[in-house]
Every structure is written in structure tokens, then in C-alpha cells.
Amino acid sequence: MAAVLLLVFLPTLAAVGFILGTAAGELSWTSAFMGFTFVMLAGFLVMGAVNLSKGWDADGGDHGRVR
């Protein structure tokens, strides 16, 4: 689960940092709205991955054992 979250979270963190750095170069209402929208989309993506991973951990299945 941790690997999946890192594969989602690290590129999202880098992209959010890049988009906020770009928006800070010339701050206007449009770039501020774009940055806010991008941060919200990234947050929902990470929250969705966390919610999905809760089901993976709660499963506690056989982990491939044959009976």
C-alpha cells in the first residue's frame, strides 16, 4: 500500500510545486484560480488513493495461498 501511495503522492507533490511556482511568477486572478483548482484536484486524487487502499488493507485475504 505504501508503494502505491508514494507512486501517486510524489508526482502529485512535484506537479503541485511546479504549478504553484509557475503561478507565482505572474500572479493574477486567473493563475490563482488555476493553482487552487490544481491543488484541489491533486488533493482529491491522493484522498481517493487513500480511500481505495483502506479496502486493500482491511481485506486480509489468503495472499495467494492455495487450499
Side-chain angles (χ1 to χ4, degrees):
M1 176 194 76
V4 172
L5 291 178
L6 279 176
L7 287 173
V8 171
F9 183 69
L10 288 179
T12 303
L13 183 65
V16 167
F18 176 74
I19 204 75
L20 291 179
T22 302
E26 184 179 339
L27 191 60
S28 65
W29 287 106
T30 305
S31 63
F33 180 69
M34 177 262 316
F36 176 73
T37 303
F38 196 81
V39 168
M40 293 302 293
L41 286 171
F44 283 121
L45 179 70
V46 171
M47 284 188 334
V50 169
N51 285 337
L52 281 173
S53 69
K54 287 179 185 176
W56 300 334
D57 282 344
D59 182 29
D62 292 335
H63 300 292
R65 281 185 259 157
V66 179
R67 294 180 189 235

